[in-house]
Amino acid sequence: VMLYQLAACTIIPGQHMSPFSRQSSVEMPTRESDEAILKKLNIQTINAELIIRLEQNSSHYSLAPDNVANHYFDYRIGSKAIKGVPVKDEPYTQYRVGPRDILNITVWDHPELTIPAGEFRSSESAGNVVGEDGTFFYPYVGVVQAAGRTVEDIREELTVKLSKYIEFVQLDVRVASYRSQRVYVVGEVTNPGIQLVKDIPLTVLEAINNAGGVTSEADLRNIILTRNDKTYSINLLSLYEGGDVTQNVLLQHGDVLNVPDSALNKVFVLGETNHFVAGGAIGRSRSLTMNKARMTLTEALSEAGGFDQETSDPARIFVFRGGLGKPEIYHLDAKSPDALLLADRFPLQPRDVIYVDRAEGIRWNQIIGQIQPTINLLNA
């Protein structure tokens, strides 16, 4: 009689999905026709037909511009970054002098007009500093406007004006120290900080390489460029792997280049898995960072340690997805190992939750184990 009553007991410890359920047990917020509604979600089976439908949708490919991983960063933090690069300006020609730059002017055969540099004086300390108003003073010439001009323009003006006093003027102008134009590189780079714009064009790749490259935590899909009052999202992964050179933007004075981390590009594996933690214990849950925001269901299960062969029910593997406010639920029956071939073609998205259900018999044994002491006490 006692066993019969126990069989009728519906108290099952732990989390589990209802047997043979084809819908979620709770209502989920979702959007349909640009309107937020509550509805129970259909549980989609991961089979060959589903894989074909996914692969026909280009957004599931890693380098697709509308891949979820390219938008999830902005969705989660509320960023209003413009997807794409700034409108192209005029092609870069030559460096233009600015305030605080130091010019080195040499007039051949006239040392009195050339500030000498020696063993104890660098070319920077011996040069002509461009003032905050963009000008500098030069003998016999007076005040010279330098800001916004190339060194060739400045040399031509000095040559014309000095020719009134010197026959066959030969002079050279060069920038001894670049100090007027700055770019700020922050975030997941080895050496964040200020970088100076010099005569060699400074692009996004140049700036990141000058900063020692990105760290292992960098999210290459969502490089943030702030220029003036606008913010742009640059996808360096498309440049590195897809050859999209438009992503290699030419930087300008005042630009802020932020390389964010990949903390949002995680998936979570819960339930009856087998990964080992410190001390040799077996863990039951794990978060995995997606490398370049790419990971399949099989990869996630493998990195989580695989199924627990004694407690798991591989026929009941679920993927819960809530990316971009459009939740979905998928079910994989991996009782037969070849089903993992389908799982390896099922691309995960950031913040997916993978749940490996527990075998029914294991839950029943847990109930027996919990009430057995009470039964023994009653019998005694």
Side-chain angles (χ1 to χ4, degrees):
V1 176
M2 179 67 70
L3 291 178
Y4 175 79
Q5 291 173 345
L6 290 177
C9 179
T10 60
I11 300 176
I12 300 176
Q15 292 178 313
H16 64 282
M17 293 291 291
S18 301
F20 312 111
S21 174
R22 303 315 307 167
Q23 273 193 334
S24 61
S25 57
V26 296
E27 292 183 331
M28 299 293 294
T30 184
R31 299 192 66 85
E32 290 186 2
S33 302
D34 293 330
E35 182 180 354
I37 63 172
L38 295 176
K39 64 178 294 187
K40 291 188 175 182
L41 304 179
N42 293 329
I43 299 178
Q44 305 177 59
T45 301
I46 300 178
N47 51 26
E49 290 77 12
L50 176 68
I51 298 300
I52 291 175
R53 291 202 305 271
L54 293 178
E55 293 183 349
Q56 287 175 341
N57 186 346
S58 62
S59 65
H60 290 99
Y61 289 96
S62 176
L63 294 184
D66 52 351
N67 186 281
V68 170
N70 298 342
H71 300 271
Y72 198 78
F73 179 86
D74 296 331
Y75 172 76
R76 286 299 295 261
I77 70 172
S79 171
K80 301 299 182 183
I82 301 170
K83 285 298 175 183
V85 301
V87 177
K88 288 186 177 180
D89 300 320
E90 295 181 3
Y92 181 87
T93 53
Q94 289 178 297
Y95 179 81
R96 295 189 177 274
V97 176
R100 298 177 299 280
D101 280 344
I102 299 178
L103 302 179
N104 202 331
I105 302 173
T106 303
V107 183
W108 301 107
D109 296 329
H110 290 272
E112 73 278 5
L113 294 177
T114 302
I115 300 177
E119 180 181 358
F120 302 104
R121 297 188 67 190
S122 64
S123 58
E124 289 84 358
S125 62
N128 298 84
V129 180
V130 179
E132 292 295 331
D133 60 353
T135 66
F136 69 95
F137 177 82
Y138 199 76
Y140 299 107
V141 176
V143 177
V144 179
Q145 178 65 39
R149 304 173 67 186
T150 66
V151 291
E152 285 76 8
D153 292 338
I154 299 172
R155 180 170 62 234
E156 183 178 352
E157 179 181 346
L158 292 176
T159 301
V160 171
K161 291 185 176 180
L162 284 177
S163 63
K164 298 178 182 179
Y165 311 97
I166 301 173
E167 191 176 6
F168 304 117
V169 178
Q170 297 183 67
L171 63 83
D172 182 43
V173 179
R174 66 182 182 88
V175 181
S177 181
Y178 298 88
R179 305 193 304 177
S180 64
Q181 302 180 38
R182 299 182 174 191
V183 168
Y184 306 88
V185 182
V186 298
E188 295 299 322
V189 292
T190 304
N191 301 306
I194 297 173
Q195 296 188 23
L196 299 175
V197 179
K198 301 182 179 181
D199 55 340
I200 299 177
L202 184 64
T203 63
V204 169
L205 279 184
E206 289 280 350
I208 290 178
N209 288 336
N210 292 342
V214 298
T215 68
S216 59
E217 300 296 324
D219 181 5
L220 295 178
R221 293 175 177 269
N222 294 289
I223 307 295
I224 304 301
L225 171 64
T226 301
R227 175 175 295 174
N228 299 325
D229 59 345
K230 293 184 178 180
T231 300
Y232 303 90
S233 180
I234 297 174
N235 190 339
L236 275 191
L237 193 65
S238 291
L239 173 61
Y240 288 153
E241 298 186 353
D244 184 4
V245 295
T246 62
Q247 304 297 316
N248 193 22
V249 178
L250 186 67
L251 299 178
Q252 301 176 2
H253 172 58
D255 284 354
V256 179
L257 192 66
N258 177 34
V259 182
D261 60 49
S262 56
L264 292 178
N265 293 326
K266 286 185 177 181
V267 297
F268 307 95
V269 184
L270 309 176
E272 301 305 308
T273 56
N274 249 345
H275 85 276
F276 290 91
V277 295
I282 297 178
R284 295 301 186 190
S285 63
R286 190 178 184 186
S287 63
L288 306 172
T289 300
M290 305 171 70
N291 181 28
K292 299 178 182 177
R294 290 191 296 244
M295 183 175 287
T296 66
L297 178 54
T298 297
E299 288 175 327
L301 292 171
S302 175
E303 291 191 30
F307 315 124
D308 189 314
Q309 295 297 324
E310 296 181 357
T311 63
S312 67
D313 183 0
R316 295 168 58 77
I317 300 173
F318 297 90
V319 178
F320 302 94
R321 175 169 296 168
L324 305 185
K326 298 178 181 179
E328 295 175 306
I329 301 177
Y330 297 92
H331 167 239
L332 174 68
D333 182 353
K335 198 73 173 179
S336 176
D338 53 8
L340 295 176
L341 292 175
L342 291 175
D344 194 42
R345 294 176 65 175
F346 181 84
L348 297 177
Q349 295 181 5
R351 319 306 284 186
D352 278 356
V353 178
I354 303 166
Y355 180 71
V356 180
D357 208 348
R358 184 175 300 178
E360 292 289 340
I362 296 299
R363 290 200 294 270
W364 170 250
N365 290 339
Q366 281 188 332
I367 296 174
I368 296 298
Q370 290 175 356
I371 68 174
Q372 188 64 45
T374 303
I375 296 175
N376 293 339
L377 179 61
L378 293 175
N379 289 336

